[in-house]
Amino acid sequence: MIVVTELTKRYGRRTAVDRLSFEVRPGVVTGFLGPNGAGKSTTLRVLLGLHRPTSGSATIGGRRYDRIRRPLRDVGAVLDADAVHPGRTAADHLACLARSNGLGARRVRDVLARVGLTEVAGRRVGGFSLGMRQRLGLAAALLGDPAVLLLDEPVNGLDAAGVRWLRSTLRALAAEGRTVLLSSHLMAEVALTVDHVLVIGRGRLLDSAPVAALRNRGATDVVVRSPRAADLATVLTGLGASVTPGVAGELSVAGLDPAVVGDAAARAAIPVHGLTRRGASLEDVYLELTGTEAEYRNEEGAA
Amino acid sequence: MTAVFRDAVAAEWMRLRTLRSTYAFLAGAAVVTLLGLLLLALLIRTFDAAPPAERANFETVDPTVVVVPFVMFLVGAVAAASVTGEFATGSIGPALLAVPQRPLLFGAKATVAAGCGLVGGLLSASSTVAGATLLLGGRPAPPHPWPVWTDAVATVAGATLTVTVAAVVALGLGALLRSTAATLVTLGGLVLVAPVVASFLPPVWRLRCGSVLLPNLTAQFTGADGPYLLPPAGAVGVLAGYAVVALVAGAVAFVRRDVG
């Protein structure tokens, strides 16, 4: 359980995190979303004791991170996959971390195998691709078999197969009852991975909701296609729907269920060639939430 | 010593020996030692070739005076890199995630730096003194700096101690400055350049400043009638002062400032 309470972090006059409060529950994958500069990384850094909060608190399992002895056994984290000494081999990098927490060489072999880096364990990290470094970062996070995982932008630099691998790995880790929090600035990256999302913008919490609830939140309509679109539009308007004609005999119908639309067409003996419910994408909902909060927007986005 | 601290020290020691740069700097220290002995060999040839009347004018030639400042710099560089190398590569992040108690992590780094200085200083000073004793053979003092072997022991002990403190000072500077380049320039200034600059000062100031400079302390431990002012106890006090100031300043910077 991660608890952030009224957390504020200022760098000089710039406020990166502004009275932020949220909780992350175990057993689910929680996405920490927000545009660039929203304060995601800052929040994670404060949570992990790398930065001091200006005020407020952030605890993991009820304790401040820097009060946990041998924390790798409780919390695993990857903040920056590039933050590895390039002159050290992958195995040595992990061995140093393991040694500091009293973990044996066996754990190093186990996590290297779990992330698929066994074959390159003896190579210096300087020659690793970003994708390999992400895997190495996750290996370090898993060293102590922790109950809590915090990952900052873990999808960055992964190829399609890597993204799929990460997704199934994180879902498996959450299914084992662990608390998993991963940040991203792109909803599309994590929509299939996370169960719950926290959305922040300019250091403030904008929303906290299950992905399923977020999906239903956007405006939905029914798209029906008919060779007699104009006749069908009259019928549906008569039922109280608001109908917008589209191209090629398509109608966008708001305010009616697909079943009601189909039944009405049948009663009027109007042929129907297509009938679907159309939902707003998660991306749309996310953009709507963060649209006014993004630190920098292009003119098109602002229009 | 708690188990957590012991593990942190073991991890820091592993960090040091899993990097090639460590061995490069230590090889540099070995080369400097050999060069010091080569220099001595050349001086001995001149001494042997000189007529007896001129031999009386020869001064004592202690090769540690030349070798030790460079060893201080090179071993100090290893110690400094254990902090600055981590800030440069960002690997300080994972290190702090593994050991988030910053005073404890800094203590572990200081322990390993001091250990590295102790071993590096002892190896270099003892091989310099042993090599010099062999080269000088039965020649009189001067040029022989240690007519009695116990004098040589004092020199080795003093050199080992100054190299150890130099490593600790380098670590403190590294934690304060966080940059490898800035730390090495400052360290080089302290142990290599400052003695040269001091030698250009007017005599009174040359003595006062020269006596408290890190590399010049070595000679003052032995109580030998050298050119400087401090008695052995005073030299030890100044040396301890260097270590304490560097450790406190480094620790405060390391504990208080945000990382990453």
Side-chain angles (χ1 to χ4, degrees), chain B residues 18 43 50 60 74 80 84 105 137 148 150 168 171 187 194 210 214:
Chain B
T18 50
L43 278 167
T60 305
L74 291 162
T84 61
L105 184 62
V148 190
T150 47
V168 169
L171 179 89
L187 181 67
L214 207 40

Side-chain angles (χ1 to χ4, degrees), chain B residues 21-48:
Chain B
S21 58
T22 302
Y23 300 100
F25 282 121
L26 294 183
V31 168
V32 164
T33 305
L34 286 175
L35 284 176
L37 289 175
L38 191 70
L39 209 65
L40 177 65
L42 291 174
L43 278 167
I44 288 173
R45 265 181 58 182
T46 322
F47 175 79
D48 288 348

Side-chain angles (χ1 to χ4, degrees), chain A residues 159-197:
Chain A
D159 54 18
V163 173
R164 176 171 288 184
W165 166 81
L166 182 73
R167 183 183 302 149
S168 60
T169 304
L170 294 180
R171 295 223 58 92
L173 290 165
E176 292 164 19
R178 294 174 217 260
T179 309
V180 181
L181 178 66
L182 71 145
S183 79
S184 176
H185 57 279
L186 294 174
M187 176 63 96
E189 271 184 356
V190 297
L192 294 173
T193 312
V194 303
D195 307 291
H196 192 98
V197 288

Side-chain angles (χ1 to χ4, degrees), chain A residues 9 11 45 48-52 65-72 77-79 82-89 92-93 95-97 99-102 124, chain B residues 2-4 6-8 10-11 14-16 18-21 85-86 89-102 255-260:
Chain A
K9 174 67 180 177
Y11 299 99
R45 282 182 161 73
L48 292 165
L50 294 178
H51 289 204
R52 288 163 168 256
Y65 188 82
D66 60 2
R67 299 269 165 82
I68 307 176
R69 283 156 61 97
R70 304 184 190 281
L72 296 187
V78 192
L79 287 180
D82 277 328
V84 183
H85 202 300
R88 228 174 247 127
T89 67
D92 281 343
H93 168 67
C96 291
L97 295 173
R99 189 68 192 83
S100 67
N101 274 241
R124 289 180 205 286
Chain B
T2 68
V4 173
R6 206 162 46 232
D7 283 343
M14 191 183 259
R15 286 204 167 95
L16 210 63
T18 50
L19 284 182
R20 281 180 296 187
S21 58
E86 297 212 328
T89 61
S91 56
I92 187 69
L96 273 173
L97 291 185
V99 183
Q101 296 81 11
R102 296 197 193 183
V255 169
R256 294 189 63 88
R257 285 159 67 189
D258 288 346
V259 171

